[in-house]
Structures are given as C-alpha cells and as structure tokens.
Amino acid sequence: MLAQVVALSLLPRTPVPRQSLRPLHVVMSALTADDDLPIVIAGAGLHGAALAYYLTRRGEKPLLVDRHSVAAAASGKGGGFLARDWGSGPTEQLHTTSFALHQELAESLGITSYRKIPVLSVTPGVRSKRTTDICPWLDGEIADSRWMDRDGGAQVAPHELCTKLVEAALSAGASLRIGAVEGIEKSGGDASMSVSAVVIDGERVACRAFACTMGPWAALAQDWFDIPVPMTGIKSTSIVFKDASREAELMN
C-alpha cells in the first residue's frame, strides 16, 4: 500500500540491528554515514515506484533498478481496485490513508485513469419476487444485488500510476537502470549491519541504503540477508471490462 511506502521513506538515518529485520516483502537496510551515495531500490513495481517518488520529495536521488521495465509484472496488470473502508484491525488505517493518497496523486500527477466508483455485490441465481435488480445492464440470472459501498471505492490503471510515479521521480533527480540485482555487500557486525553496495549485472554499486521491492522475487533477498522471506499466494480472479465507447471518445 502507498501508506506503507510513505512510512518507509520516512525511516530515520540510523543503523538497524539485524535481529530487528522482519520477513516482509519490502526490506530496507540500515543507512550508512555517506550521504553522497544513493539509496538503491530493487524492483520498479508499485512499491518501488512509490518509494522512489516519495524519497525524491525528501530531497533524495535514489537509483531504481528493474530487470525488465517499470510495472512489468503484477503492478502493471492488476485491476486497480481501491477500497477505502475494507480494512480491519491493523490494516484499517493503511486502507483509509492509501485511499486518500491515491486521489492526491491522481490530482498532482495527472493520472487520467483514476475515478471514484460505487461497489456492487451481485448474487447469481434464479430471479424471484424478492430480487433487487440495481444492475440491469448485466445479462444472465441474478438472485439478488445490493450496494456494498456507494462512495468508498475507486479504480486506477496500475501501469499508468507506476509510470507517472517514476516519471515524477526521474524529473526530481532519481535514476532508473534496467538490470538484475544479483546480491548485496554488507558491512558492520551483527548489531550494526548495513548494506554498503549492491551487485547489479556483476557490477558493484556503492549505496547508502537498499530497499527490496521485488514482489514475489523478494524471496531472493532471504539469501542476501540470511532471513526468511516467505511467500504465500491468494487464489482470486479479477476481470476488467473495457468500455469501447469510452475509448473511442478519448481517441477523438
């Protein structure tokens, strides 16, 4: 989530004890004392793009690295559905803050695909006298339909979002490099371990900090940091329907 990325970009410039590292999809290393060296971000999906953008807003000039391109995997192909009030427990604040950040970014970066949308719940089945049909544009049998969220839903094309974030970061001094991160070099002891360099396509690139935002490929970092980075999947289906008439309007 974007709120998670903003929190990462505000990390203090102090060493992080090795035992405090957590097996998250995003792993930020300790910062070294040399402020002239860049922060290296591995992975140019949504997390990496957003982190690069928010770091440049703090005056940093990070190096963003991806082996293929910006938003090459899931970050560029998802349905882009956003829900403000669907969080619970520890994630509730992340949902509401991220939802607000998306609207703010759409306005400041000119993200044209962002739109507010109501959310429907449709139950398939045989119609009856008790069926509430608020979506007559759907064909097939509908047992019932109801509003799930009238004003807490939104949608954005994830590829456009990532691209606009990276473009803004590059214009503010960040760098983008196409290459494979193959490992890291560490310095200091167990109590004050920090990443001093990143190996990109066989080249040693000195850095002040390192962030691993490679999605499922972040599991590679468990060998670099000697910590577990477990990956689990959730089986689900997302279908995005294109409005041909709307696309024709935009083309004219």
Side-chain angles (χ1 to χ4, degrees):
M1 286 187 171
L2 288 176
Q4 238 180 338
V5 173
V6 175
L8 275 173
S9 69
L10 298 177
L11 284 174
R13 298 185 180 184
T14 54
V16 179
R18 182 179 179 184
Q19 58 266 29
S20 71
L21 293 172
R22 298 286 187 260
L24 299 175
H25 298 292
V26 180
V27 181
M28 175 69 86
S29 78
L31 293 168
T32 67
D34 194 341
D35 288 347
D36 293 331
L37 296 177
I39 296 172
V40 176
I41 304 169
L46 178 57
H47 276 92
L51 182 56
Y53 170 75
Y54 284 106
L55 283 173
T56 59
R57 295 187 65 181
R58 295 188 65 205
E60 301 285 353
K61 296 181 179 180
L63 170 60
L64 184 61
V65 184
D66 196 281
R67 69 184 309 159
H68 188 276
S69 60
V70 175
S75 290
K77 299 175 176 63
F81 175 68
L82 309 170
R84 182 188 61 201
D85 303 319
W86 291 22
S88 61
T91 68
E92 184 175 357
Q93 188 177 2
L94 283 174
H95 274 75
T96 55
T97 302
S98 293
F99 191 85
L101 282 173
H102 274 287
Q103 183 172 357
E104 176 186 310
L105 288 171
E107 295 170 355
S108 60
L109 300 181
I111 299 174
T112 59
S113 61
Y114 176 85
R115 59 174 182 160
K116 293 284 188 69
I117 55 172
V119 183
L120 297 172
S121 174
V122 180
T123 303
V126 180
R127 295 176 186 269
S128 68
K129 294 180 179 180
R130 303 177 65 177
T131 297
T132 301
D133 190 359
I134 57 177
C135 46
W137 39 270
L138 281 178
D139 58 6
E141 290 296 319
I142 296 175
D144 202 9
S145 60
R146 64 182 178 86
W147 293 106
M148 288 185 65
D149 201 334
R150 287 181 177 268
D151 62 356
Q155 188 178 31
V156 64
H159 190 273
E160 182 191 14
L161 172 61
C162 293
T163 300
K164 291 288 180 66
L165 284 167
V166 172
E167 288 175 350
L170 295 179
S171 66
S175 301
L176 173 64
R177 175 170 173 174
I178 302 302
V181 175
E182 299 171 341
I184 60 172
E185 291 185 9
K186 295 177 285 188
S187 60
D190 287 345
S192 59
M193 186 275 291
S194 64
V195 175
S196 56
V198 179
V199 181
I200 306 172
D201 290 334
E203 177 188 352
R204 180 185 183 277
V205 178
C207 67
R208 191 170 90 254
F210 172 69
C212 180
T213 60
M214 302 190 301
W217 292 276
L220 296 171
Q222 63 188 5
D223 295 329
W224 305 341
F225 288 97
D226 193 25
I227 58 173
V229 184
M231 290 289 163
T232 57
I234 299 175
K235 186 177 181 179
S236 61
T237 303
S238 177
I239 302 175
V240 179
F241 294 92
K242 291 186 177 181
D243 186 344
S245 61
R246 176 59 176 162
E247 288 189 344
E249 289 179 15
L250 295 174
M251 291 293 291
N252 294 330

